[in-house]
Amino acid sequence: MATDNNSSVLRAIFSRTFVAISLINMLGMVGYYAIFVVCTRFAAEEFGANLAMAGLATGIVVIGCLVGRFFTGSIIHTVGYRRVLFIGVAVMFLMNAAYLIVGALWPLIIVRFISGVAMGVIGTATGTFVATIVPRHLHGRGIAYYSMSTALALCFGPFIGIALLGTIGYTGIFTIATTLSGISLLLICL
């Protein structure tokens, strides 16, 4: 009896939309963290940035994320969850691709800030979306399962950035992040 109840609970939580939203969140954050852990070194090696400027280039993404979350929370119900999420992922895709062509430190800082805004939009949109699609009486479990996408991203993103940097270089890391955000765009369109 308990097994039947557990399987019906899991079916109620793990809808196709829930899985897609969780994957979009995870893929976006994997790319975000992979770039985050290599950004200081990238700014110093590629643009000769001193430690303070390399730190600014790395850390400005957090300020952007806060800005994205703040403004997304106030417009998401008006604009719509799916549209806001699409915009956030599309901007993230463009910014991840921009890392491949950025040619100076200040454009890198701008790309980092806009990437942060996009990640803030994605995080707010996915979290709000999940809260609306999980049945109310299962919010605790549903949101806990959703938050595992963030925990997995915290594991895989830095691992990809640090472990693969010596093999595939910055271009490879940026290409992986761009590919992951491209997959997220496809998930939204399905």
Side-chain angles (χ1 to χ4, degrees), residues 81-165:
Y81 305 111
R82 198 173 292 267
R83 183 177 293 155
V84 168
L85 182 56
F86 178 81
I87 291 167
V89 172
V91 171
M92 180 61 86
F93 176 80
L94 293 173
M95 290 304 103
N96 285 344
Y99 286 112
L100 295 165
I101 60 170
V102 72
L105 184 60
W106 281 104
L108 174 65
I109 291 170
I110 293 166
V111 166
R112 295 285 297 155
F113 178 78
I114 297 170
S115 292
V117 171
M119 199 62 238
V121 169
I122 293 167
T124 302
T126 56
T128 306
F129 208 164
V130 161
T132 63
I133 62 172
V134 170
R136 191 162 200 68
H137 68 285
L138 298 173
H139 268 184
R141 282 180 83 174
I143 292 171
Y145 291 139
Y146 161 77
S147 68
M148 286 192 305
S149 67
T150 301
L152 289 170
L154 256 165
C155 172
F156 291 120
F159 174 77
I160 288 169
I162 293 168
L164 298 181
L165 182 61

Side-chain angles (χ1 to χ4, degrees), residues 1-11:
M1 190 99 165
T3 305
D4 289 338
N5 188 30
N6 280 338
S7 65
S8 66
V9 166
L10 292 177
R11 276 194 302 274

